[in-house]
Amino acid sequence: LPKAGKPLDGFKKPPPPGRSSTCMYFSLPFPPPIKEPILILNGEGASFGRPVNNLTFLDRCAPSYAPKGKSLASVTIVGNPAIEDVELEKQVRSHLSEWFGAEKLKKWKMLGIYRIPYAQPPQILPSVEGKTGFDRIVSLGDGLFICGDHRNTATLNGAMESGRKAAEEVMASYMQSSS
């Protein structure tokens, strides 16, 4: 359970379990096979033996992330596969070789595997006090407000929208109390 899930929420039920994610990083001894700073999505869906959800070459967004002439690949697997790191790396390499070629993948150097148990809050439609969807209340009463990706979509955009909504309610509350 993330530390942020405990402190202020006025609701007495425990937060739902989060979604895990596994991140893998590879060093390439050559420039990446794509030029654009994009996120490559697996449009076929991940499955056993083909676990990659998405991939990006971080130095395409931030050139300082890799030495000149090299690249840094970031691979994401949704969840925490119940296999050893060595087997996961083997599956990821096999999967990515379908995308970029087996000979190129042989030259990718594994830098690290990070299994993140609570990478995101669950992406379920919340239901709080008769409200459904992502219109969850932000005022808990007594001048206490709550926001975050757990109150909207579990994305950076959801966190920003939730923060904006909370800020608007804080300002409205302040303006109402000062008049």
Side-chain angles (χ1 to χ4, degrees):
L1 183 66
K3 291 178 184 175
K6 296 177 185 174
L8 300 175
D9 195 329
F11 305 109
K12 300 302 177 204
K13 65 181 182 179
R19 295 181 59 152
S20 61
S21 183
T22 303
C23 300
M24 301 175 72
Y25 296 92
F26 294 88
S27 172
L28 287 66
F30 41 76
I34 61 163
K35 303 282 186 237
E36 300 84 13
I38 60 172
L39 181 68
I40 302 168
L41 302 174
N42 176 1
E44 299 169 338
S47 60
F48 185 77
R50 304 179 79 239
V52 176
N53 181 69
N54 64 63
L55 161 88
T56 191
F57 297 96
L58 296 172
D59 52 294
R60 288 292 145 201
C61 299
S64 65
Y65 282 16
K68 189 170 177 72
K70 295 186 179 187
S71 186
L72 176 62
S74 173
V75 176
T76 302
I77 295 106
V78 174
N80 184 3
I83 58 177
E84 296 294 321
D85 287 355
V86 172
E87 177 59 25
L88 181 59
E89 180 182 355
K90 181 178 170 185
Q91 288 184 18
V92 166
R93 285 181 179 278
S94 175
H95 193 180
L96 292 177
S97 69
E98 296 173 22
W99 297 2
F100 302 112
E103 288 305 310
K104 291 275 188 186
L105 259 292
K106 288 179 185 177
K107 296 176 183 172
W108 290 30
K109 178 184 174 192
M110 167 61 68
L111 297 176
I113 298 177
Y114 302 89
R115 296 175 186 256
I116 305 163
Y118 200 96
Q120 290 183 318
Q123 296 194 54
I124 55 174
L125 291 175
S127 178
V128 179
E129 295 182 4
K131 295 183 176 221
T132 59
F134 296 109
D135 55 354
R136 298 175 74 178
I137 61 172
V138 298
S139 175
L140 300 177
D142 296 325
L144 185 62
F145 298 85
I146 188 169
C147 64
D149 60 356
H150 66 291
R151 308 297 290 177
N152 199 302
T153 57
T155 63
L156 291 173
N157 191 57
M160 300 277 289
E161 287 179 14
S162 176
R164 179 192 46 78
K165 184 177 178 183
E168 289 171 354
E169 289 206 25
V170 166
M171 291 299 296
S173 174
Y174 175 77
M175 296 303 284
Q176 191 174 32
S177 68
S178 64
S179 54

